[in-house]
């Protein structure tokens, strides 16, 4: 019910957190606020991929302080916690590379398997398999490398092309 002078707003995240903008307030700080007046401050935080991969909430507390006409300064604090929502997702597209159809027994069918990270988190230890199971080999390391069907890590919006090979049998 009194006018406060020298009103300031502090936010501990502003001290060295990478990706956080400067605090801008209306009216500018330090401010004088009559009873029922307000000050609005804004800072934006760019959340990096590591924070999304961790999935930990991002806590924040801001404190406002002001000097009344008489007595000691008054303060008030407010806290907010932003929940990081992880949305892991992958997509695989399979296409025949060779040979052209029709095929005969003993021919090798070579497929490209394009594995894409379509979510918002880094994917680790993806296992790529083919519907033919043990009858097909899947290589995600590239030509000349040992045959493996594991993608160690796949960043958001990245893709890896694997190859699957199956030899056609007479039963096919």
């Amino acid at each position: 019910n009194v006018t406060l002078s020298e009103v300031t707003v502090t936010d501990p995240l502003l001290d060295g957190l990478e990706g956080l903008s400067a605090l801008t307030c209306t009216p500018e700080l330090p401010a004088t606020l009559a009873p029922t007046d307000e000050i609005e401050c804004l800072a934006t935080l760019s959340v990096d991929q590591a924070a999304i991969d961790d999935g930990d909430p991002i806590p924040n507390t801001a404190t406002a302080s002001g000097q009344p006409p008489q007595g000691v300064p008054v303060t008030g604090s407010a806290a907010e916690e932003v929940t990081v929502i992880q949305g892991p997702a992958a997509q695989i597209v399979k296409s025949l590379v060779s040979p052209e159809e029709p095929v005969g027994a003993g021919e090798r069918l070579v497929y490209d398997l394009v594995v894409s990270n379509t979510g918002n988190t880094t994917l680790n230890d993806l296992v790529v398999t083919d519907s033919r199971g043990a009858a097909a080999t899947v290589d995600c390391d590239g030509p000349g490398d040992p045959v493996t069907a594991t993608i160690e890590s796949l960043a958001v919006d990245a893709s890896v092309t694997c190859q699957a090979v199956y030899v056609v049998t007479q039963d096919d």
Side-chain angles (χ1 to χ4, degrees), residues 58-156:
I58 301 170
N60 184 259
T61 301
T63 301
S65 301
Q67 180 66 49
Q70 297 176 8
V72 296
V74 295
T75 62
S77 294
E80 184 72 31
E81 187 171 88
V82 175
T83 303
V84 175
I85 298 175
Q86 294 179 323
Q91 177 185 35
I92 187 167
V93 176
K94 183 177 185 176
S95 57
L96 181 65
V97 176
S98 67
E100 290 185 23
E101 297 179 53
V103 297
E107 288 191 68
R108 290 169 30 104
L109 301 179
V110 179
Y111 297 93
D112 274 348
L113 308 173
V114 179
V115 181
S116 302
N117 182 344
T118 58
N120 72 342
T121 59
T122 301
L123 300 175
N124 296 304
D125 301 321
L126 282 105
V127 177
V128 182
T129 59
D130 187 271
S131 62
R132 294 285 182 178
T137 59
V138 179
D139 183 359
C140 294
D141 287 331
D145 290 338
V147 173
T148 180
T150 301
I151 300 171
E152 189 174 311
S153 182
L154 190 58
V156 173

Side-chain angles (χ1 to χ4, degrees), residues 1-4 7 26-27 32-40:
N1 64 357
V2 296
T3 297
L4 297 176
V7 175
T26 305
T32 299
L33 298 179
T36 73
D37 281 354
E38 296 179 347
I39 188 167
E40 183 175 320

